[in-house]
Amino acid sequence: MSGPHPFPRNHPQGRIPAEPQVEIFTTPTTQAIPYRIPAIATAYDGTVVAVVDYRYSRVDIGSGRIDLHIRRSHDNGATWDDIMMPEVMRGDGDKTEGHQKAGYGDPCIVGDSESPRMIITACSGTPGFFGGTRTHHQGWARWYSDDNGATWSEPQYIDEEFIYSKFDKSAYGPIRGWFVGSGKICQSKTTKVGTHYRLYCVGSSCRQGSNETANWVLYSDDFGKTWQFLGGCDESPVPGGDEPKAEELPDGSILLSSRCTGGRNFNIFTFSDTRCGQGTWGQVAFSGSGNKGVTALSNACNGEVLLVPVTRKKDKKTMFLLLQSLPFGSGRANVGIYYKALESLADYRTPDAIAKDWDGRHQSSYISSAYSTMTWQKNNTIGFVYEEDTYGTSGGGYTIIYKNYSIEQITDSAFTYNPSVNGDSLTALGMGAVVDDVTSTDNVGTIVGQYTPEAAHLVNDAYSEYAAHPSRQQYERLNGIIGSAPRVKMGLERYYTLRNYGRGAKLYALYANNATELSVSTNRKAEKAMWCIVPTADDPEVFYLVNKAHPTSMVGPTLAVETRTVLTSNPKEAGRYRIVSTTQGLSKLQCINPTNATYPFLHLAGDNVRIVPWLASSPANNAPSFWYIEPTDVMTGIEHITLPPNPNAAATAEACYDLGGRAIQQPQKGQVYIKGGKKHVE
């Protein structure tokens, strides 16, 4: 079906004309086998290829048979071939755990920019995402086409080789579920290291032993034959993240856009060496109504992110336009596209900059509607597909709608497409301001995580070289120096205060009310507010927090949700904390032996009294999970702890210290002490 769509009951008829559209996959009745989860790509010859779930099971992948259906358009979406039902993408419905061919769902797709080659990947088999184990889990399948999507290869199953086995060896630990993000696979426009321009594919994991989720980005330099984790798989760029998408920004960095209630979570991977995939992730930033970002009212839903070079018509200024689709709401309804002008590097250098102050939006649907994705077509327009409850069938599926948009249509004629915009030139114009910010008093200081004065000199010198000969290579070198420049570190030789960032005008410091009760106080000079941060014997990047006033008391692990964290004198019951700090001196204290793995962070509750566990990523309330770790002038008496070469090696240092750092001649019965780099109890 094509042509203007009849006005739905809630359409503002008479004010907004209906837009041309095509129903490319129709779910006409609640009895029909439903369609869901669209993906779309543009092939090398200009063919537009759409692929969707055909859900015999009527539920998400992992619970029975789902096939993949394909349609192709050779005239930029005006007309479409008949539906293709490839035998190689047909599930058999076998629900045996670990059976890969049971079904295929949530596809993502891309067409190579230099050849007729295309790739589709999808979740596969059974059980579902949350129902798996390390040995029987949801799979990941891929198919290739070498004729612009006309025919497809047999499926290959690549989850064990490139996903599950990698986590087994990571600091993050084993996972029991992997879910590839549906929609568009991103192909770089500038990075070609191997046989093809680089691909970026995204997904979510489910941690072994819990329902904790996390987002990841994979990259491939051989068009999907092999995959590597961008930034590794030791620490997620969006902990707690839901279905994600990725896009390449003007400076070559990678934007991760993650589904969440109320809007999106964003993070950015900034390269220090693109060829080797080296660089760093930033800090997650939430985009929603509170910061004039993309707003999904009363819903969390998958959507697409796309970058387009443009000229702003009113002042002829060249820049880039970032697009993000999602249901505007309330609930899963009123799908449309937000847009944000990226005028300078300051607009896309950090996740926080991306998250705030979006410029406008265009509404595509005026009824119940959900997942969406888009592709840039050869005629310099956007192919946009989304799920719509056109016939009242959303209980099991949707009709998949295609619309064709120009940049003018989406932005109400404020912008127009301009292929000549150069991302490196735009980046160079703004890098001086970035360096000024990096070396400002907010980032250079004495708080743990901040740059040292020496770092500021290194960064300024590197910027001088970049400014004299700007290039992508010099830009990444500068990024590398910014990322590796000396920062304030924690040491055993002194005590620290931990001041909360998000509560009480930043006056509350972590405080031991007594030997077992943890709280906060404004009295940062008291011994009860001073902490020795002691590396564990088996991992120097994991720490115990030991109180000065109560030298046998350590912060315990995070407990159940809203349950107050306590102090303990039993080293076997002590909390083990990984501490990650930003250059603004904001640190998160993540418990790696929590009661509930979904809530691992030390967080000051709203009553400004209780220290409780909190989510890895919380859009509205994560500020109280950040702490300033500030050195005091009070010394511990410990200059160093000699760690053994491995956890089972014999200790070499004979001196004994109590947990307050004082040397002791002979430990007393029941006393916890440090000897040879390890904690002991007499």
Side-chain angles (χ1 to χ4, degrees), residues 41-82:
T42 303
Y44 179 66
D45 68 349
T47 299
V48 180
V49 183
V51 55
V52 293
D53 285 12
Y54 189 56
R55 293 189 163 184
Y56 286 89
S57 66
R58 299 184 179 275
V59 292
D60 290 344
I61 182 66
S63 298
R65 180 181 173 184
I66 298 178
D67 299 351
L68 298 182
H69 285 185
I70 295 173
R71 276 191 95 173
R72 302 164 73 228
S73 172
H74 308 284
D75 53 10
N76 297 299
T79 61
W80 293 78
D81 293 344
D82 292 339

Side-chain angles (χ1 to χ4, degrees), residues 17 151 161-162 184 377 553 659:
T151 60
E161 181 179 5
F162 298 118
K184 171 180 70 75
Q377 299 182 168
S553 293
L659 294 180

Side-chain angles (χ1 to χ4, degrees), residues 5 27 30 332 365 367-370 386-395 397-399 401:
H5 188 274
T27 303
T30 54
R332 288 191 170 183
S365 175
I367 58 175
S368 173
S369 42
Y386 59 91
E387 300 174 327
E388 186 176 77
D389 192 11
T390 314
Y391 300 101
T393 59
S394 62
Y398 293 88
T399 291
I401 303 295

Side-chain angles (χ1 to χ4, degrees), residues 433-560:
V434 169
V435 169
D436 288 343
D437 181 63
V438 166
T439 57
S440 71
T441 54
D442 288 338
N443 292 301
V444 178
T446 60
I447 299 174
V448 170
Q450 289 184 314
Y451 289 116
T452 66
E454 177 192 3
H457 292 301
L458 290 172
V459 170
N460 281 318
D461 289 346
Y463 173 67
S464 295
E465 294 183 29
Y466 168 74
H469 305 285
S471 67
R472 178 68 63 87
Q473 184 177 10
Q474 286 290 342
Y475 173 70
E476 291 181 358
R477 176 179 176 272
L478 177 54
N479 287 337
I481 290 173
I482 291 173
S484 62
R487 294 166 63 185
V488 177
K489 296 182 179 180
M490 295 171 292
L492 278 169
E493 73 281 359
R494 67 179 66 246
Y495 287 99
Y496 293 83
T497 59
L498 283 71
R499 181 164 51 97
N500 193 262
Y501 168 71
R503 303 279 190 209
K506 303 177 177 60
L507 297 177
Y508 288 118
L510 197 67
Y511 191 83
N513 286 343
N514 52 51
T516 60
E517 188 174 270
L518 189 65
S519 187
V520 293
S521 171
T522 57
N523 185 4
R524 283 185 280 155
K525 294 184 178 181
E527 289 190 351
K528 291 181 178 181
M530 296 183 186
W531 302 88
C532 181
I533 302 176
V534 182
T536 60
D538 57 331
D539 188 342
E541 300 301 320
V542 176
F543 302 91
Y544 297 109
L545 305 179
V546 184
N547 190 254
K548 177 170 173 47
H550 304 284
T552 62
S553 293
M554 297 162 281
V555 175
T558 52
L559 302 174

